[in-house]
Amino acid sequence: MHKTLTSIAAALLLAALGTGAQAQNLITNGDFELSTVATDSFETYSNLGGYTATLWGSDSTSGTHKIVDVAGNQFMQFGGGDSASTAFGVGTGGAYTLSFDYEGSGFWALYNSDTSSYVSTGPLVQINGMGTDNTALTLSNSTNYKLFFGSVGAGLPGMVTGLQLDNVSVTAVTPVPAPGAYALVVAGRAVRAFISPPRQQR
C-alpha cells in the first residue's frame, strides 16, 4: 500500500513538472502540414485557398509560391520575390525565441501591429544558405504581432533566387505553467504528506 501511494505521488509530481515545461508555439501551422497536399507532390498557394487553408497570407510575385511535400514532410517554398506573413498575439510578455529552418536566400521581419513598429532589427533581416535560425525576442503583454518571410529576386550578388521555410515557432523561454500544473503539484504533495510516517518523539 505504502509503495503504491509513493508511486502515485511521484507520478503526480512528474506530471506537474511535465505540464509546466511544455512551451506553446504561438505560430499556427508553422510546420505547413496540410492534408490536401499529397505525399511527394506540391500545390501552389493560390490552389490551396490562401490564408484560410494555410493561416499564412501570401504576396506571390512569381506565381509559383507553393507548399511542397517530400516523403511526408511539408514546407513552404517561395519563388523569387514572394512573401508570406502570419499574425499572432502574446498574452504574457517576456523573453521569447523565434526559430525556423530555411534553405535559400531571403529575409524575415517581426512587426508590432499595436505600435506600428518593428521588433526585428529593421524591416528586412537577411537569411542566406541553409540552417536553423534562433533569435531572442522581447515581446510585450497583450500585444499583437505580424511575422513576415520573403525571398529575394534575381540578380543579388552572393544570393540565390528562392527560399524554403519550415518549422516556424515563437515560444516563451521560460514557459508559464498551465493552470492544471499547480493542482497536480498540490495533489502530489498531499499524497506524500499522507504516506510519510509520523516523526517519533524522543
Side-chain angles (χ1 to χ4, degrees), residues 45-56:
Y45 203 85
S46 57
N47 290 339
L48 289 168
Y51 185 86
T52 303
T54 63
L55 296 175
W56 286 74

Side-chain angles (χ1 to χ4, degrees), residues 63-119:
T64 60
H65 191 182
K66 59 178 73 83
I67 301 295
V68 178
D69 186 296
V70 176
N73 178 59
Q74 296 176 359
F75 54 89
M76 182 176 282
Q77 185 177 81
F78 299 76
D82 293 345
S83 63
S85 63
T86 190
F88 66 95
V90 171
T92 303
Y96 285 76
T97 299
L98 165 66
S99 178
F100 57 88
D101 299 329
Y102 67 93
E103 182 176 1
S105 299
F107 64 87
W108 69 269
L110 182 61
Y111 186 75
N112 185 322
S113 302
D114 295 343
T115 62
S116 300
S117 60
Y118 284 97
V119 179

Side-chain angles (χ1 to χ4, degrees), residues 88 90 93-99 108-110 119-121 133-140 145 147 169-173:
F88 66 95
V90 171
Y96 285 76
T97 299
L98 165 66
S99 178
W108 69 269
L110 182 61
V119 179
S120 52
T121 54
D133 187 279
N134 292 291
T135 299
L137 303 170
T138 300
L139 304 181
S140 303
Y145 295 91
L147 180 61
S169 66
V170 173
T171 54
V173 173

